[in-house]
């Protein structure tokens, strides 16, 4: 399984989003062909209603810690 579906599943499970986009932008960076190293993530969820932008980023980064470490 590629990394993108794993990221999408984790985000869906954790935040029950109304909208989600996970875009692999690795091809736009100087990485080996087929690398999965750069993703753009957009998550719209009520779980973030009372949270500032930096808090939202921190929650997503914490959730995806294992994926970001690789």
């Amino acid at each position: 399984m590629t990394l993108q579906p794993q990221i999408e599943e984790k985000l869906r499970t954790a935040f029950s989003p109304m909208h989600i986009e996970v875009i692999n932008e690795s091809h736009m960076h100087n990485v080996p062909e087929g690398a999965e190293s750069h993703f753009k993530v957009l998550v719209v969820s009520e779980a973030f209603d009372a949270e500032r932008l930096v808090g939202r980023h921190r929650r997503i980064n914490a959730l995806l810690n294992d994926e970001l470490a690789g």
Side-chain angles (χ1 to χ4, degrees):
M1 178 183 267
T2 62
L3 194 53
Q4 186 171 344
Q6 292 174 355
I7 291 171
E8 290 173 357
E9 183 59 31
K10 273 190 154 180
L11 293 168
R12 278 186 184 38
T13 301
F15 302 116
S16 301
M18 295 172 265
H19 179 79
I20 185 171
E21 290 180 45
V22 177
I23 302 165
N24 186 346
E25 295 185 340
S26 301
H27 67 279
M28 297 171 19
H29 298 269
N30 187 21
V31 297
E33 189 169 329
E36 293 185 296
S37 57
H38 295 79
F39 290 89
K40 178 179 179 179
V41 173
L42 174 65
V43 179
V44 178
S45 172
E46 290 179 353
F48 298 130
D49 277 353
E51 196 151 10
R52 297 178 69 148
L53 184 59
V54 71
R56 296 172 188 187
H57 283 232
R58 287 179 179 150
R59 285 181 64 188
I60 289 173
N61 286 342
L63 177 71
L64 301 176
N65 188 50
D66 291 342
E67 289 77 10
L68 295 173

